[in-house]
Each structure stands twice: as C-alpha cells, then as structure tokens.
Amino acid sequence: MASATPPARLNRTLLFLIGLVLLAAGVFGLLFGTGVLRQVLPGIDPSVPLLPAGLTLPEWAPWVTLAVAVVVGLLALRWLLAQARRRPRTSGWTLPSAQVAGRDAGTTRIHSDHAADALAADIESYDGVQRAAAALVGDRRRPEIHLDVTADDGADLAALRTRITDHALPRLRSALDIESGRADLVLRLAEAKEHSRVG
Amino acid sequence: MIRRPRKSLAAGIVALVLLALCVVVAVAVVQLLLGQQPIVDFGVLGSTVAGFTGADVPVLVVSGLVALVGLVLVVVALRPGTPTVFPLTPAGGAEHLDSGITRRSLNRALADAATGVDGVTKASVKSTGRRAAVTAHAAFGERADLRDRVRSAVAQRLDAVGPARSPRVTVSVTGTKQKEA
C-alpha cells in the first residue's frame, strides 16, 4: 500500500535502525572501556590497544571497503532524493475495452494523474475553493483518493465537504467506473483572493 | 485523518552525513589503489587508533557521543511529533471522506477570529491538537473582558471548522496597560 505521506515511514524506519546501531556501538564502547563488560566476559581486556601495532590489511581490504562505500553512498543518496517526493506514487491505468456500435473499440489507457486533474478541476470550480489537487493511488478498480484543497478563509467547510462527497466523487466514480474506496481530504485555508478584507 | 511530521530534516541530515562519509572513504581508497597520496592518511589513522586502549578517556568520550547521537535518532524516530494535519469530524454526505485540516490553517483561522474582536490588533495561535494557545495583542479594552470575547470568537470559529477533537482554548492578552484616557 502506497503511503499517503512519503517518505515518512522510510525516514522513521531508517532513523530508528541507524540510531539503534549507533546507540549499541556507543554503549558497547562505554561498557568495554569502563570494564563493566569484563565482569561478564573475563576474556575482554580494556587495557590492551584497540589495534595491534604491526597490523597489515589483506589485499582485498581496499576493494571491499570501496564496494561498501559505493553501495552505502548510493543508498544514502537515494534516501536523500526520496525527501523530494511529497506526493503518493501514481500510475498509468488501462480501462476495460468498450463496445461501440457492437464492435470492440479497443482499450483506453489513462494516467491516473489525468483522471485526478479532472477531479481537481471539478472541485476548483466550487465556491470558496482557490486550489485543489488530487491523486488517485493504487488499483484502478478501487483507487485511494487523496485530495488537497485550499479554501477561502471564510468558506463554509461543511458545505464544501458535502459537495465533494455528493458531487465530485460520484462524478469521478461514474466516469471511470470505479468502486468506492478510501478517500481523504487535507484542507488548507487561505485569505480570500477576490474580496478585499478592508471595507 | 491525522498526519504527522515526516522527519525530513533529521533524515536529510543523516543521509547527507552518510553520503559525505562514503564519498570521502571511496575517494581515499581509490587514491590508495592508484598509488596516490590519499586524502585520508590511513597509516596515521591506524597508528592513532592503535595508540589508544578501550579505557582511555578519548575513546570513552567518542563512545559516549556515538551513543548519544544514536539515542537522539531513536527518540526522533519514535516520537510521533505534533500533528501537521488535525482530523475533522466526519461530515454528512453520500460517502465517507476522511478529512483533516493543516495545523497552519487552523492556527491562521483561529488567529483571524481573535483579530476580529474589537480592540485586538494582532493575534497568534499555537495548537497541538489537545490545546490551542491564543496570544492576543490588544490596543485598548479591559483584559478580562477581552479574554472572554476572544475565547468566544475562537470557540465559534472552531465550531465552524469542526475538528474531531476540540482543543482546550487558552487565551492570554498582552498590550493593555489600562492607561486612563
């Protein structure tokens, strides 16, 4: 299931895992250094140097280090770039083939973003709405509908929400022949554009 | 619908640090393999580490810092954070629409309501979902009276917006010095 707020889950998971590794390493260092660990494992001696003096690395060590650095670095880069994605992932849909005048009129492909744009345009035409954005996510027959609507400060929000559920969503469902599924709406308020607040 | 912070700032910093470390290590190793002088002198690094034992103070300090950073990251990852979108009460309609309002919008709307009270010149609101703290700056008027009027104006606006859980509204009025006109 695609998340409605990428990359929230990814961030939490990775931050938790990395934090846990660092915490474990740090606590191990402290327990080791203060000699607490030695009480449990007598073989561990904190008073010997951390590395033996004449240490020579095997020949493959630089190659392995390089490979690990490249792989981890690319994953970090991907994680960094994932922060830029704020919208849920959308996809292309193939609509079922239609019969026109008794003949197969072929299949129709549509990207869900285009269907979503039509929905957003519908909502944008309502009173008190300044901007609307929509995303249809997941299976074509039962997509999740995410709406992001900016309304005027003084707009009747209850009426707006009822209008969306009674008009915009049914229109979309009948146009695309989709079943009712999850729909959610994030409302934002902005100062009304046309009407001056003075006077 | 409730939405929580994405923790993008913390994630971005950690990812950037990780990336920078990997780039430095990769460049240094490539230089080493090519027989050039690497940007990280592994020999010096190795002998420095070899000079310490686990019980030395610098090693303990570094361990403590690493543990601290780890703890901070775990706390950041686990704390839900103040919601960025507050849920609204379900509206009547043909189908269920899971609605929420952004924190910024709710704050703005409530501040707007407070500013509508006579005598209030500006107002700011901080809401956490459980409470909404209104700070109103007034040019004139009696403080207790202003507080009541701001509270009722904010409550009225809250009703119109309709959050699923009405926050407890606290009002503080600043700026009235009770000067005799």
Side-chain angles (χ1 to χ4, degrees):
Chain A
M1 185 69 56
S3 157
T5 55
R9 202 181 306 166
L10 175 77
N11 287 350
R12 284 176 186 280
T13 311
L14 287 180
L15 286 173
F16 179 75
L17 290 178
I18 292 171
L20 211 59
V21 168
L22 291 180
L23 186 61
V27 168
F28 175 83
L30 285 176
L31 292 180
F32 171 71
T34 51
V36 177
L37 208 58
R38 199 176 189 193
Q39 294 166 2
V40 190
L41 301 164
I44 292 173
D45 185 2
S47 59
V48 299
L50 290 177
L51 291 175
L55 181 70
T56 49
L57 292 172
E59 216 156 274
W60 46 262
W63 295 101
V64 172
T65 312
L66 182 62
V68 170
V70 167
V71 169
V72 175
L74 286 177
L75 289 176
L77 183 65
R78 195 171 162 197
W79 187 21
L80 197 61
L81 294 178
Q83 306 305 317
R85 170 175 278 279
R86 296 310 217 184
R87 295 182 70 228
R89 197 173 287 280
T90 51
S91 52
W93 289 340
T94 305
L95 302 187
S97 55
Q99 298 279 322
V100 175
R103 279 187 299 162
D104 184 5
T107 55
T108 308
R109 284 177 220 281
I110 182 172
H111 195 275
S112 76
D113 281 349
H114 295 134
D117 285 347
L119 173 64
D122 242 7
I123 296 172
E124 250 172 20
S125 72
Y126 295 168
D127 270 351
V129 174
Q130 292 188 4
R131 276 187 308 279
L136 305 178
V137 179
D139 178 43
R140 191 203 72 77
R141 295 188 176 281
R142 212 182 156 81
E144 282 182 21
I145 303 173
H146 302 292
L147 292 170
D148 193 310
V149 174
T150 306
D152 288 343
D153 238 345
D156 184 345
L157 298 181
L160 173 62
R161 284 158 67 194
T162 313
R163 189 101 198 269
I164 291 173
T165 53
D166 289 357
H167 178 251
L169 295 183
R171 257 168 66 97
L172 175 83
R173 296 202 197 286
S174 70
L176 287 176
D177 189 24
I178 56 183
E179 297 164 32
S180 59
R182 269 181 50 91
D184 62 40
L185 162 71
V186 174
L187 267 175
R188 298 167 205 277
L189 298 174
E191 216 161 287
K193 263 188 232 157
E194 286 88 354
H195 319 291
S196 163
R197 284 166 44 82
V198 181
Chain B
M1 173 189 45
I2 189 164
R3 279 193 185 161
R4 306 250 179 212
R6 298 169 210 245
K7 313 283 181 187
S8 280
L9 182 67
I13 292 172
V14 173
L16 207 59
V17 168
L18 209 56
L19 179 61
L21 274 177
C22 288
V23 168
V24 168
V25 168
V27 169
V29 170
V30 168
Q31 284 173 323
L32 195 71
L33 289 171
L34 292 177
Q36 297 171 351
Q37 177 68 34
I39 49 174
V40 179
D41 195 332
F42 290 106
V44 172
L45 194 68
S47 56
T48 310
V49 174
F52 286 117
T53 70
D56 285 338
V57 174
V59 176
L60 291 178
V61 169
V62 168
S63 297
L65 285 177
V66 168
L68 192 68
V69 170
L71 188 65
V72 168
L73 293 186
V74 168
V75 169
V76 166
L78 292 183
R79 273 187 51 163
T82 312
T84 53
V85 173
F86 296 126
L88 295 176
T89 41
E95 49 185 301
H96 182 68
L97 181 64
D98 197 6
S99 313
I101 186 164
T102 61
R103 183 173 67 207
R104 196 178 303 180
S105 292
L106 185 66
N107 286 347
R108 246 181 57 87
L110 298 186
D112 200 46
T115 317
V117 172
D118 272 350
V120 175
T121 50
K122 60 180 184 225
S124 65
V125 178
K126 277 188 185 147
S127 39
T128 60
R130 261 180 232 150
R131 63 177 58 200
V134 183
T135 310
H137 187 89
F140 57 85
E142 202 203 330
R143 202 169 277 205
D145 175 48
L146 278 169
R147 202 176 296 139
D148 285 347
R149 282 191 290 145
V150 166
R151 194 193 306 278
S152 76
V154 166
Q156 209 175 348
R157 195 79 173 92
L158 263 179
D159 267 355
V161 172
R165 174 179 188 169
S166 259
R168 213 159 59 80
V169 178
T170 57
V171 181
S172 62
V173 177
T174 61
T176 52
K177 282 271 169 62
Q178 292 296 317
K179 278 175 286 193
E180 291 301 317

